[in-house]
Amino acid sequence: MSIVVTGATGHLGRHVVEQLLEKVPAEQITAVVRDESKAADFAARGVKLAVADYNAPETFDTLFSAGDKVLLISGNEFDKGRVGQHKVVIEAAKAAGVALLAYTSAPGTLTAALVDDHRGTEEALLASGVPYTLLRNGWYHENYTENLAPVLEHGAVVQAAGDGRVSSASRADYAAAAVAVLTGEGHENQTYELGGDEAWSFAEYAAELSKQTGKEIAYSPVSAEAYTGILTGAGLPAPLAAVFAGVDASIEKGELVVSSGDLSRLIGRPTTPLADAITAAVKA
Protein backbone atom coordinates (compact mmCIF):
# COMPACT_ATOMS: atom_id res chain seq x y z
CA MET A 1 0.00 0.00 0.00
CA SER A 2 1.30 3.40 -1.01
CA ILE A 3 0.19 6.89 -0.15
CA VAL A 4 0.12 8.64 -3.52
CA VAL A 5 0.21 12.44 -3.82
CA THR A 6 -0.52 14.11 -7.16
CA GLY A 7 0.88 17.57 -7.86
CA ALA A 8 3.61 16.70 -5.38
CA THR A 9 5.99 19.52 -6.34
CA GLY A 10 3.35 22.25 -6.12
CA HIS A 11 3.02 24.60 -3.16
CA LEU A 12 0.56 22.40 -1.24
CA GLY A 13 1.94 19.08 -2.49
CA ARG A 14 5.42 19.81 -1.16
CA HIS A 15 4.01 20.50 2.30
CA VAL A 16 2.05 17.23 2.18
CA VAL A 17 5.05 15.10 1.20
CA GLU A 18 7.29 16.79 3.78
CA GLN A 19 4.75 16.11 6.52
CA LEU A 20 4.14 12.53 5.36
CA LEU A 21 7.88 11.89 5.71
CA GLU A 22 7.50 12.69 9.41
CA LYS A 23 4.76 10.07 9.79
CA VAL A 24 5.48 7.10 7.50
CA PRO A 25 8.54 5.46 5.88
CA ALA A 26 9.62 7.18 2.65
CA GLU A 27 9.14 4.00 0.59
CA GLN A 28 5.41 4.12 1.36
CA ILE A 29 5.08 7.51 -0.37
CA THR A 30 4.70 7.99 -4.12
CA ALA A 31 5.04 11.54 -5.43
CA VAL A 32 3.31 12.08 -8.78
CA VAL A 33 5.15 14.73 -10.79
CA ARG A 34 5.38 16.02 -14.34
CA ASP A 35 9.08 16.84 -14.04
CA GLU A 36 11.28 14.40 -12.10
CA SER A 37 14.04 16.97 -11.70
CA LYS A 38 11.79 19.12 -9.52
CA ALA A 39 11.41 16.20 -7.09
CA ALA A 40 15.06 15.16 -6.92
CA ASP A 41 15.15 16.11 -3.23
CA PHE A 42 12.25 13.75 -2.49
CA ALA A 43 13.86 10.91 -4.45
CA ALA A 44 17.08 11.40 -2.51
CA ARG A 45 15.13 10.80 0.69
CA GLY A 46 13.63 7.55 -0.59
CA VAL A 47 10.27 8.77 -1.89
CA LYS A 48 9.09 6.92 -5.01
CA LEU A 49 8.50 9.12 -8.04
CA ALA A 50 5.88 8.57 -10.73
CA VAL A 51 5.84 10.75 -13.82
CA ALA A 52 2.29 11.50 -14.98
CA ASP A 53 0.29 14.37 -16.44
CA TYR A 54 -3.43 15.11 -16.06
CA ASN A 55 -3.43 15.91 -19.80
CA ALA A 56 -2.09 12.45 -20.74
CA PRO A 57 -4.56 9.87 -19.36
CA GLU A 58 -2.37 6.91 -20.33
CA THR A 59 0.28 8.03 -17.84
CA PHE A 60 -2.10 7.14 -15.00
CA ASP A 61 -3.04 3.68 -16.36
CA THR A 62 -0.74 1.65 -14.09
CA LEU A 63 0.11 4.28 -11.50
CA PHE A 64 -2.18 3.13 -8.68
CA SER A 65 -2.40 -0.22 -6.91
CA ALA A 66 -5.20 -1.86 -4.96
CA GLY A 67 -5.34 -0.47 -1.43
CA ASP A 68 -3.49 2.77 -2.16
CA LYS A 69 -4.58 5.99 -0.50
CA VAL A 70 -4.49 8.84 -3.01
CA LEU A 71 -4.50 12.60 -2.58
CA LEU A 72 -5.76 14.33 -5.72
CA ILE A 73 -4.58 17.93 -5.47
CA SER A 74 -6.71 20.04 -7.78
CA GLY A 75 -4.94 21.22 -10.92
CA ASN A 76 -4.24 24.88 -11.61
CA GLU A 77 -4.61 24.89 -15.40
CA PHE A 78 -7.89 26.78 -15.43
CA ASP A 79 -7.97 26.85 -19.23
CA LYS A 80 -7.57 23.11 -19.82
CA GLY A 81 -10.78 21.68 -18.39
CA ARG A 82 -9.90 20.80 -14.81
CA VAL A 83 -12.87 18.48 -14.29
CA GLY A 84 -11.74 16.36 -17.23
CA GLN A 85 -8.20 16.32 -15.88
CA HIS A 86 -9.39 15.22 -12.46
CA LYS A 87 -11.61 12.51 -13.95
CA VAL A 88 -8.47 10.94 -15.42
CA VAL A 89 -7.19 10.37 -11.89
CA ILE A 90 -10.59 9.27 -10.53
CA GLU A 91 -11.07 6.68 -13.27
CA ALA A 92 -7.55 5.30 -12.82
CA ALA A 93 -8.11 5.09 -9.07
CA LYS A 94 -11.39 3.27 -9.56
CA ALA A 95 -9.85 0.77 -12.00
CA ALA A 96 -7.05 0.02 -9.55
CA GLY A 97 -9.33 -0.40 -6.53
CA VAL A 98 -7.73 2.20 -4.29
CA ALA A 99 -8.76 2.32 -0.63
CA LEU A 100 -9.34 6.08 -0.55
CA LEU A 101 -9.22 9.10 -2.84
CA ALA A 102 -9.03 12.45 -1.04
CA TYR A 103 -9.65 15.58 -3.11
CA THR A 104 -8.72 19.18 -2.30
CA SER A 105 -11.94 21.06 -3.02
CA ALA A 106 -13.43 24.40 -1.95
CA PRO A 107 -15.83 25.38 0.85
CA GLY A 108 -19.45 24.32 0.43
CA THR A 109 -20.57 27.89 1.14
CA LEU A 110 -18.60 29.36 -1.79
CA THR A 111 -20.61 30.25 -4.91
CA ALA A 112 -17.92 32.07 -6.95
CA ALA A 113 -17.16 30.73 -10.44
CA LEU A 114 -13.91 29.37 -9.01
CA VAL A 115 -15.84 26.50 -7.41
CA ASP A 116 -17.52 25.19 -10.57
CA ASP A 117 -14.63 22.85 -11.36
CA HIS A 118 -14.52 21.66 -7.76
CA ARG A 119 -18.23 20.83 -7.68
CA GLY A 120 -17.92 19.03 -11.02
CA THR A 121 -15.02 16.99 -9.67
CA GLU A 122 -16.90 16.19 -6.45
CA GLU A 123 -19.84 14.91 -8.52
CA ALA A 124 -17.56 12.70 -10.60
CA LEU A 125 -15.83 11.34 -7.51
CA LEU A 126 -19.09 10.50 -5.73
CA ALA A 127 -20.50 8.89 -8.88
CA SER A 128 -17.38 6.72 -9.25
CA GLY A 129 -18.06 4.70 -6.13
CA VAL A 130 -14.45 5.12 -4.98
CA PRO A 131 -14.19 5.66 -1.20
CA TYR A 132 -13.61 9.41 -0.93
CA THR A 133 -12.75 12.26 1.40
CA LEU A 134 -13.61 15.80 0.37
CA LEU A 135 -11.11 18.24 1.83
CA ARG A 136 -12.95 21.50 1.20
CA ASN A 137 -10.01 23.85 1.73
CA GLY A 138 -10.77 27.45 2.55
CA TRP A 139 -8.54 30.34 1.55
CA TYR A 140 -4.79 30.31 2.22
CA HIS A 141 -2.88 32.99 4.16
CA GLU A 142 -0.27 32.79 1.42
CA ASN A 143 -2.74 34.01 -1.19
CA TYR A 144 -2.10 37.41 0.36
CA THR A 145 1.19 37.23 2.27
CA GLU A 146 3.15 35.99 -0.77
CA ASN A 147 2.21 39.15 -2.71
CA LEU A 148 3.26 41.87 -0.30
CA ALA A 149 5.56 43.85 -2.63
CA PRO A 150 2.84 46.01 -4.27
CA VAL A 151 1.04 46.41 -0.94
CA LEU A 152 4.18 47.74 0.75
CA GLU A 153 5.10 49.86 -2.27
CA HIS A 154 1.73 51.63 -2.43
CA GLY A 155 0.87 51.50 1.28
CA ALA A 156 -2.52 50.00 0.50
CA VAL A 157 -4.38 46.71 0.61
CA VAL A 158 -6.70 46.90 -2.39
CA GLN A 159 -9.56 44.37 -2.61
CA ALA A 160 -13.17 44.27 -3.75
CA ALA A 161 -14.38 42.50 -0.61
CA GLY A 162 -16.00 45.31 1.36
CA ASP A 163 -16.11 44.47 5.07
CA GLY A 164 -16.17 40.72 4.40
CA ARG A 165 -14.17 38.32 6.53
CA VAL A 166 -11.94 35.37 5.62
CA SER A 167 -11.27 32.20 7.65
CA SER A 168 -7.88 31.57 6.09
CA ALA A 169 -5.17 29.19 7.30
CA SER A 170 -1.65 28.34 6.19
CA ARG A 171 -0.78 25.87 3.46
CA ALA A 172 0.98 23.82 6.12
CA ASP A 173 -2.30 23.62 8.08
CA TYR A 174 -4.26 22.31 5.08
CA ALA A 175 -1.42 19.89 4.30
CA ALA A 176 -1.58 18.60 7.87
CA ALA A 177 -5.30 17.90 7.43
CA ALA A 178 -4.58 15.90 4.26
CA VAL A 179 -1.84 13.97 6.05
CA ALA A 180 -4.20 13.19 8.95
CA VAL A 181 -6.70 11.73 6.49
CA LEU A 182 -4.10 9.78 4.49
CA THR A 183 -2.46 8.26 7.57
CA GLY A 184 -5.54 7.89 9.78
CA GLU A 185 -8.65 5.71 9.83
CA GLY A 186 -12.36 6.35 9.48
CA HIS A 187 -12.24 9.15 6.91
CA GLU A 188 -13.99 7.25 4.12
CA ASN A 189 -16.93 9.06 2.52
CA GLN A 190 -16.49 12.12 4.73
CA THR A 191 -16.64 15.80 3.83
CA TYR A 192 -14.58 18.27 5.84
CA GLU A 193 -15.16 22.04 5.67
CA LEU A 194 -11.72 23.45 6.38
CA GLY A 195 -10.78 26.97 7.45
CA GLY A 196 -8.82 28.90 10.03
CA ASP A 197 -10.00 29.32 13.62
CA GLU A 198 -10.15 33.13 13.39
CA ALA A 199 -11.85 35.03 10.58
CA TRP A 200 -10.35 38.43 9.73
CA SER A 201 -11.23 41.47 7.64
CA PHE A 202 -8.97 43.28 5.17
CA ALA A 203 -8.98 46.34 7.45
CA GLU A 204 -7.57 44.11 10.20
CA TYR A 205 -5.07 42.63 7.74
CA ALA A 206 -3.88 46.13 6.78
CA ALA A 207 -3.59 47.08 10.45
CA GLU A 208 -1.47 44.01 11.19
CA LEU A 209 0.77 44.78 8.21
CA SER A 210 1.20 48.34 9.51
CA LYS A 211 2.08 47.04 12.95
CA GLN A 212 4.66 44.55 11.72
CA THR A 213 6.31 46.70 9.05
CA GLY A 214 6.14 50.10 10.73
CA LYS A 215 4.62 51.50 7.53
CA GLU A 216 1.23 53.15 7.25
CA ILE A 217 -0.88 50.68 5.27
CA ALA A 218 -4.60 51.24 4.74
CA TYR A 219 -7.35 49.06 3.35
CA SER A 220 -8.77 50.53 0.16
CA PRO A 221 -11.99 48.75 -0.87
CA VAL A 222 -12.87 49.09 -4.55
CA SER A 223 -15.61 47.83 -6.87
CA ALA A 224 -15.32 44.48 -8.61
CA GLU A 225 -14.91 46.28 -11.94
CA ALA A 226 -12.09 48.46 -10.62
CA TYR A 227 -10.37 45.45 -9.03
CA THR A 228 -10.58 43.48 -12.28
CA GLY A 229 -8.99 46.44 -14.06
CA ILE A 230 -6.18 46.64 -11.50
CA LEU A 231 -5.42 42.93 -11.89
CA THR A 232 -5.42 42.99 -15.68
CA GLY A 233 -3.28 46.11 -15.56
CA ALA A 234 -0.78 44.12 -13.51
CA GLY A 235 -0.62 41.51 -16.27
CA LEU A 236 -3.17 38.95 -15.12
CA PRO A 237 -5.25 37.38 -17.92
CA ALA A 238 -8.78 38.83 -17.95
CA PRO A 239 -10.55 35.49 -17.22
CA LEU A 240 -8.35 34.90 -14.17
CA ALA A 241 -8.82 38.48 -12.97
CA ALA A 242 -12.59 37.94 -13.18
CA VAL A 243 -12.25 34.77 -11.08
CA PHE A 244 -10.39 36.64 -8.34
CA ALA A 245 -12.89 39.51 -8.40
CA GLY A 246 -15.63 36.89 -8.06
CA VAL A 247 -13.93 35.45 -4.99
CA ASP A 248 -13.84 38.91 -3.41
CA ALA A 249 -17.56 39.29 -4.09
CA SER A 250 -18.06 36.00 -2.25
CA ILE A 251 -15.90 37.22 0.64
CA GLU A 252 -18.09 40.31 0.94
CA LYS A 253 -21.11 38.01 1.23
CA GLY A 254 -19.44 35.98 4.00
CA GLU A 255 -18.91 32.86 1.89
CA LEU A 256 -15.29 32.34 2.98
CA VAL A 257 -16.08 32.29 6.69
CA VAL A 258 -15.72 28.64 7.69
CA SER A 259 -16.82 28.01 11.28
CA SER A 260 -16.96 24.19 11.35
CA GLY A 261 -13.77 23.72 13.40
CA ASP A 262 -12.94 20.72 11.17
CA LEU A 263 -9.42 21.91 10.37
CA SER A 264 -8.17 22.33 13.93
CA ARG A 265 -9.87 19.06 14.93
CA LEU A 266 -8.20 17.13 12.10
CA ILE A 267 -4.74 18.52 12.79
CA GLY A 268 -5.06 18.34 16.57
CA ARG A 269 -3.97 21.93 17.23
CA PRO A 270 -5.10 25.50 16.62
CA THR A 271 -4.65 26.77 13.07
CA THR A 272 -1.80 29.17 12.26
CA PRO A 273 -2.79 32.80 12.94
CA LEU A 274 -2.62 35.26 10.05
CA ALA A 275 -0.20 37.39 12.08
CA ASP A 276 2.31 34.50 12.08
CA ALA A 277 2.10 34.22 8.29
CA ILE A 278 2.68 37.96 7.98
CA THR A 279 5.71 37.71 10.26
CA ALA A 280 7.19 34.95 8.11
CA ALA A 281 6.51 36.85 4.89
CA VAL A 282 7.99 40.11 6.18
CA LYS A 283 11.16 38.29 7.30
CA ALA A 284 11.46 36.64 3.88
Side-chain angles (χ1 to χ4, degrees):
M1 187 275 288
S2 267
I3 294 174
V4 185
V5 181
T6 74
T9 54
H11 289 306
L12 181 63
R14 279 202 160 273
H15 278 290
V16 171
V17 174
E18 290 286 354
Q19 293 186 38
L20 280 171
L21 284 165
E22 298 171 7
K23 295 278 185 80
V24 298
E27 60 267 20
Q28 288 184 19
I29 306 167
T30 299
V32 182
V33 300
R34 286 192 290 193
D35 182 350
E36 271 187 301
S37 66
K38 291 183 179 177
D41 56 325
F42 289 153
R45 294 162 71 181
V47 173
K48 297 176 187 172
L49 301 186
V51 178
D53 189 325
Y54 297 149
N55 301 305
E58 68 279 2
T59 59
F60 281 91
D61 284 350
T62 58
L63 201 153
F64 305 125
S65 300
D68 284 351
K69 289 185 175 181
V70 179
L71 175 64
L72 169 55
I73 294 179
S74 57
N76 58 6
E77 295 177 315
F78 293 93
D79 59 338
K80 292 191 177 178
R82 291 198 298 169
V83 177
Q85 290 180 329
H86 298 157
K87 282 181 178 177
V88 167
V89 181
I90 294 167
E91 287 163 10
K94 179 179 181 177
V98 303
L100 183 73
L101 197 159
Y103 172 64
T104 60
S105 191
T109 50
L110 194 59
T111 63
L114 178 75
V115 305
D116 293 347
D117 290 346
H118 290 303
R119 297 294 169 255
T121 300
E122 289 185 5
E123 289 170 11
L125 180 51
L126 269 61
S128 73
V130 174
Y132 68 87
T133 306
L134 298 182
L135 298 165
R136 287 181 166 170
N137 290 356
W139 227 220
Y140 296 22
H141 293 330
E142 291 87 349
N143 289 346
Y144 304 106
T145 60
E146 284 186 350
N147 299 291
L148 285 183
V151 173
L152 299 179
E153 180 185 346
H154 299 291
V157 172
V158 180
Q159 302 286 154
D163 296 325
R165 304 182 76 79
V166 183
S167 302
S168 65
S170 69
R171 281 200 192 103
D173 290 341
Y174 292 112
V179 168
V181 165
L182 294 168
T183 59
E185 301 296 332
H187 300 290
E188 293 83 3
N189 305 329
Q190 298 294 313
T191 298
Y192 297 113
E193 299 286 348
L194 304 177
D197 295 336
E198 298 290 335
W200 50 269
S201 70
F202 284 101
E204 290 166 349
Y205 174 55
E208 184 63 31
L209 283 171
S210 299
K211 177 181 169 186
Q212 294 206 28
T213 63
K215 298 182 179 180
E216 189 63 39
I217 297 169
Y219 172 42
S220 177
V222 297
S223 68
E225 293 76 16
Y227 188 53
T228 303
I230 290 166
L231 294 176
T232 53
L236 213 62
L240 200 53
V243 165
F244 287 130
V247 169
D248 270 20
S250 287
I251 290 172
E252 186 168 21
K253 291 185 279 189
E255 294 178 2
L256 271 174
V257 173
V258 179
S259 55
S260 65
D262 285 351
L263 182 52
S264 53
R265 273 195 297 274
L266 271 177
I267 66 180
R269 59 170 173 78
T271 60
T272 305
L274 176 66
D276 290 9
I278 292 173
T279 300
V282 169
K283 282 181 182 175

